[in-house]
């Protein structure tokens, strides 16, 4: 092994055992099971044999670049169906009774306030319904429409609704149970999308900065239209979820993909194949914090998960189980970066 | 190396050659994992555990369908290496890839299984040993056999356009 020998000679000079040993080194190298010393030996041995080295290069390229195609599959759907997640019914428990009581109280107090407010003056007022980060609140509008606002959202409505339409402006995410009134369509405007409904249950999500506006329809029928080009429109059917891309102005429809209506009202955070950039924004809103994504690479990691009571640090740790990344906690927030990024 | 549903799905397809049933088996595995989630903490290596679950699902399916006495992985006689795809316009010729496939096809079943788990799923020797119920030494032997077979059947020097490869050209300069 002191000086390179021509390939043919090399093979003759080596005992079968050593040849066998070289294949073992090559295999270990491919399977990333090789130690540093073995690697040195491998590199040396293989540099001695041109033909073997060429073959090894090919095999190496094959090993690390050839993989089966991704298979679009129904595994998650099937699993959820088998577990009954898609149509799970919650039994009435203590917390539900609590919620009903709270709702009744809220209705009573709101109608009292409403009476005080509107009856004597009968003036139209611009009402602003606001939630802070980490908050979810339920409101009842003057026409009886129930609205739940997700964290860091604003709903603006001029009430009572005296115009031909019941028009509201939404910044953020809301779940609407619209009181039926065929004569006065209910219109939800977000920055890019106009959603016209008569009386239904639907969820609208259009936070500023999001690349898309999402509408999920649970009951009834609604019409969606591009706010800037009203002729660009579509009619949604129940069970559908439509994403409107704020840049391309296109509608993407997904059917049979709806979870329980607006689970965020119960504090559930459900993520389906979402990238970390958009997840970080959701976590910021839910946990009143700031999350900085340090590099592009880490922002592109995708996750599917759902959480209900887990604290933020637990959630991030669980994500880290799936894809490696670094978490740094500072006084101003949390920094997430790739493992390879050494800055 | 991360593990996705695809890995488990392809593994099941290797046994069953049927995508529909394989999806069913992987989702059954997920369901049982969910139902036994309280015991998950006692599992040391979740990755090999998942492969073992899928393996068992496939075996019991084969047992039902083939009416054969497939008791353990040792009685399985057939496993298919999945089709793989490389980069577009790759410098490796299609023929060469076919040569590699042909070599893999000649391997014994267990050897093909070990090779698949190492190459496709990036499992460590220890994990492959757990999944196949053999020793690490045997895993090593299987893999060395596979690599040797492929290397021997590869035909590089006789190919006229072999020197198109930048890697090969570079290596020629060294001599």
């Amino acid at each position: 092994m002191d000086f390179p020998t021509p390939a043919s000679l090399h093979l003759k000079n080596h005992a079968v055992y050593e040849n066998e040993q070289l294949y073992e080194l090559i295999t270990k190298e491919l399977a990333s099971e090789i130690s540093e010393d073995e690697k040195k030996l491998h590199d040396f041995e293989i540099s001695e044999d041109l033909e073997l080295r060429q073959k090894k290069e090919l095999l190496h390229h094959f090993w690390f670049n050839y993989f089966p195609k991704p298979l679009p599959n129904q595994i998650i759907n099937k699993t959820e169906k088998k577990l009954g997640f898609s149509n799970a019914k919650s039994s009435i428990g203590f917390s539900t009774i609590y919620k009903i009581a709270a709702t009744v109280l809220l209705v009573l107090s709101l109608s009292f306030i409403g009476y005080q407010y509107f009856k004597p003056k009968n003036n139209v007022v611009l009402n602003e319904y606001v939630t802070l980060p980490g908050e979810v609140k339920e409101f009842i509008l003057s026409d009886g429409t129930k609205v739940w606002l997700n964290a860091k959202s604003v709903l603006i409505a001029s009430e009572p609704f005296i115009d031909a339409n019941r028009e509201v402006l939404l910044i953020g995410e809301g779940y609407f149970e619209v009181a039926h009134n065929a004569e006065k369509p209910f219109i939800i405007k977000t920055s890019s999308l106009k959603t016209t409904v008569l009386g239904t249950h639907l969820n609208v999500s259009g936070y500023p900065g999001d690349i898309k506006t999402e509408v999920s329809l649970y009951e009834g029928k609604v019409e969606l239209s591009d706010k800037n080009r009203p002729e660009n429109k579509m009619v949604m059917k129940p069970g559908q979820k439509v994403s409107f891309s704020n840049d391309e102005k296109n509608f993407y429809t997904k059917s049979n993909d709806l979870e329980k209506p607006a689970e965020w009202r119960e504090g559930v955070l459900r993520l389906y194949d979402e990238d970390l950039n958009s997840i970080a924004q959701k976590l910021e809103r839910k946990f009143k914090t700031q999350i900085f994504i340090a590099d592009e690479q880490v922002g592109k990691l995708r996750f599917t998960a759902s959480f209900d009571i887990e604290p933020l640090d637990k959630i991030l740790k669980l994500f880290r189980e799936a894809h490696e990344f670094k978490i740094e906690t500072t006084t101003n927030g949390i920094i997430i970066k790739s493992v390879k990024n050494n800055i | 190396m991360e593990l996705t549903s695809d890995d488990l799905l392809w593994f099941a397809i290797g046994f069953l050659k049927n995508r529909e049933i394989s999806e069913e088996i992987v989702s059954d595995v997920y369901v049982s994992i969910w139902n036994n989630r309280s015991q998950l903490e006692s599992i040391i290596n979740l990755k090999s555990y998942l492969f073992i679950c899928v393996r068992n699902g496939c075996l019991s399916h084969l047992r039902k369908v083939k009416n054969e006495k497939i008791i353990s992985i040792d009685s399985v006689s057939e496993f298919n290496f999945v089709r793989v795809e490389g980069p577009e316009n790759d410098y490796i010729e299609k023929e060469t890839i076919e040569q590699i496939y042909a070599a893999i096809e000649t391997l014994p079943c267990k050897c093909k299984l070990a090779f698949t788990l190492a190459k496709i799923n990036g499992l460590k020797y220890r994990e492959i040993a757990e999944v196949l119920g053999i020793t690490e030494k045997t895993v090593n032997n299987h893999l060395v056999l596979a690599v040797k077979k492929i290397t021997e059947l590869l035909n590089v020097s006789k190919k006229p356009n072999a020197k198109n490869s930048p890697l090969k050209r570079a290596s020629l300069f060294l001599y």
Side-chain angles (χ1 to χ4, degrees):
Chain A
M1 281 201 252
D2 347 288
F3 54 88
T5 51
S8 52
L9 255 180
H10 168 87
L11 277 178
K12 276 177 207 155
N13 287 349
H14 271 68
V16 181
Y17 170 74
E18 284 183 53
N19 199 13
E20 211 46 50
Q21 204 185 22
L22 178 53
Y23 276 114
E24 188 169 329
L25 289 177
I26 293 175
T27 309
K28 279 187 174 170
E29 206 268 335
L30 289 171
S32 314
E33 290 270 9
I34 200 162
S35 70
E36 264 180 50
D37 286 343
E38 286 175 327
K39 176 87 169 77
K40 275 180 205 152
L41 187 61
H42 164 270
D43 291 349
F44 178 80
E45 289 277 336
I46 206 143
S47 69
E48 301 233 305
D49 184 337
L50 171 64
E51 197 190 328
L52 186 60
R53 195 174 74 231
Q54 289 180 355
K55 290 178 171 185
K56 162 73 207 301
E57 307 278 18
L58 274 180
L59 190 52
H60 191 274
H61 183 80
F62 174 78
W63 188 287
F64 290 101
N65 294 293
Y66 280 71
F67 287 98
K69 269 192 299 191
L71 269 186
N73 61 63
Q74 295 298 314
I75 293 174
I76 298 298
N77 274 352
K78 283 183 177 170
T79 308
E80 289 193 339
K81 227 175 244 165
K82 284 175 195 167
L83 290 170
F85 282 178
S86 43
N87 50 1
K89 280 180 195 139
S90 60
S91 54
I92 291 193
F94 184 65
S95 65
T96 320
I97 291 168
Y98 238 121
K99 272 176 224 153
I100 293 172
T103 314
V104 170
L105 264 178
L106 197 72
V107 173
L108 283 177
S109 55
L110 274 179
S111 47
F112 178 71
I113 294 167
Y115 182 77
Q116 294 277 318
Y117 212 92
F118 296 119
K119 193 70 189 209
K121 297 185 201 155
N122 202 17
N123 276 351
V124 175
V125 191
L126 206 58
N127 283 331
E128 208 179 64
Y129 304 90
V130 185
T131 50
L132 300 172
E135 253 183 5
V136 170
K137 275 194 201 162
E138 184 187 346
F139 302 98
I140 294 177
L141 307 185
S142 58
D143 65 334
T145 295
K146 276 200 228 173
V147 184
W148 285 259
L149 286 183
N150 204 346
K152 220 178 160 184
S153 301
V154 182
L155 183 81
I156 298 166
S158 92
E159 289 174 289
F161 298 108
I162 50 164
D163 295 333
N165 297 323
R166 295 173 281 170
E167 207 172 285
V168 296
L169 196 69
L170 173 70
I171 306 160
E173 181 166 19
Y175 177 73
F176 296 83
E177 289 183 6
V178 177
H180 190 82
N181 184 346
E183 265 135 49
K184 276 193 183 187
F186 194 92
I187 298 176
I188 305 158
K189 284 184 173 175
T190 60
S191 60
S192 64
L193 199 68
K194 189 173 142 182
T195 308
T196 309
V197 306
L198 296 175
T200 72
H201 296 181
L202 80 164
N203 193 70
V204 180
S205 172
Y207 280 101
D210 281 359
I211 52 169
K212 58 191 179 189
T213 309
E214 287 183 326
V215 181
S216 306
L217 184 61
Y218 298 90
E219 268 178 35
K221 205 162 132 187
V222 307
E223 184 187 271
L224 308 179
S225 60
D226 186 337
K227 220 168 130 187
N228 302 318
R229 268 199 319 128
E231 68 276 15
N232 183 19
K233 62 183 179 182
M234 67 164 288
V235 174
M236 269 180 93
K237 291 183 199 126
Q240 285 184 331
K241 180 175 187 170
V242 171
S243 305
F244 179 74
S245 113
N246 297 342
D247 297 334
E248 296 160 29
K249 312 284 180 202
N250 286 329
F251 295 102
Y252 299 96
T253 311
K254 277 194 245 170
S255 295
N256 304 322
D257 202 24
L258 291 189
E259 307 94 32
K260 280 198 285 176
E263 289 169 301
W264 48 262
R265 289 177 293 165
E266 274 98 56
V268 174
L269 177 66
R270 195 179 271 268
L271 307 164
Y272 187 78
D273 193 25
E274 261 184 68
D275 67 24
L276 202 52
N277 283 325
S278 106
I279 294 173
Q281 287 179 358
K282 289 191 175 172
L283 293 176
E284 276 185 346
R285 293 193 290 259
K286 189 169 156 70
F287 292 102
K288 275 189 256 183
T289 181
Q290 280 195 295
I291 300 176
F292 305 96
I293 304 289
D295 50 275
E296 224 178 290
Q297 222 180 338
V298 74
K300 283 184 188 152
L301 297 178
R302 305 185 82 82
F303 299 92
T304 298
S306 80
F307 303 102
D308 43 19
I309 49 157
E310 287 85 352
L312 180 60
D313 58 332
K314 178 86 183 285
I315 291 179
L316 291 175
K317 275 179 194 154
L318 286 169
F319 280 155
R320 208 171 47 183
E321 298 275 312
H323 293 290
E324 268 189 294
F325 56 77
K326 277 199 273 190
I327 304 169
E328 265 175 42
T329 312
T330 68
T331 45
N332 289 326
I334 294 162
I335 304 171
I336 294 179
K337 51 171 118 170
S338 292
V339 178
K340 283 167 204 148
N341 187 346
N342 290 321
I343 307 159
Chain B
M1 184 118 180
E2 59 187 276
L3 180 72
T4 64
S5 298
D6 267 16
D7 285 83
L8 300 174
L9 182 56
W10 277 119
F11 186 59
I13 290 175
F15 283 109
L16 306 176
K17 294 187 233 168
N18 179 316
R19 182 167 158 186
E20 193 66 16
I21 302 170
S22 300
E23 282 190 13
E24 216 45 61
I25 282 174
V26 176
S27 79
D28 279 345
V29 167
Y30 287 176
V31 169
S32 79
I33 288 204
W34 175 257
N35 289 335
N36 299 311
R37 59 191 181 279
S38 54
Q39 286 148 39
L40 273 186
E41 276 172 38
S42 58
I43 293 161
I44 299 158
N45 188 330
L46 193 60
K47 202 195 268 183
S48 32
Y49 180 76
L50 282 166
F51 276 100
I52 290 170
C53 290
V54 173
R55 177 201 79 186
N56 290 345
C58 292
L59 292 189
S60 60
H61 179 81
L62 288 176
R63 195 155 44 224
K64 259 184 266 166
V65 179
K66 289 196 167 179
N67 247 341
E68 280 170 22
K69 283 186 182 167
I70 297 174
I71 303 150
S72 73
I73 185 106
D74 295 311
S75 21
V76 177
S77 54
E78 250 189 287
F79 184 80
N80 299 287
F81 184 74
V82 295
R83 297 300 293 192
V84 291
E85 277 184 14
E88 266 180 58
N89 303 320
D90 195 27
Y91 68 83
I92 297 192
E93 307 266 322
K94 285 231 168 63
E95 280 170 57
T96 313
I97 299 298
E98 288 310 319
Q99 280 175 6
I100 296 179
Y101 273 126
I104 295 170
E105 277 316 306
T106 66
L107 298 171
C109 175
K110 274 239 171 159
C111 188
K112 242 191 266 180
L113 266 163
F115 185 76
T116 301
L117 289 170
K119 193 249 162 281
I120 305 289
N121 310 111
L123 259 54
K124 308 306 275 176
Y125 285 12
R126 185 175 38 77
E127 294 166 330
I128 301 171
E130 284 173 30
V131 176
L132 299 184
I134 51 182
T135 62
E136 279 184 53
K137 180 75 194 135
T138 316
V139 171
N140 177 62
N141 293 346
H142 280 318
L143 292 177
V144 172
L145 176 66
V147 168
K148 200 175 159 189
K149 254 294 179 19
I150 297 169
T151 324
E152 279 170 0
L153 286 185
L154 266 183
N155 214 345
V156 279
S157 41
K158 285 177 199 157
K159 284 170 66 80
N161 32 11
K163 53 175 117 107
N164 283 346
S165 144
L167 274 174
K168 277 177 233 154
R169 244 178 307 162
S171 53
L172 282 173
F173 277 113
L174 291 170
Y175 276 80

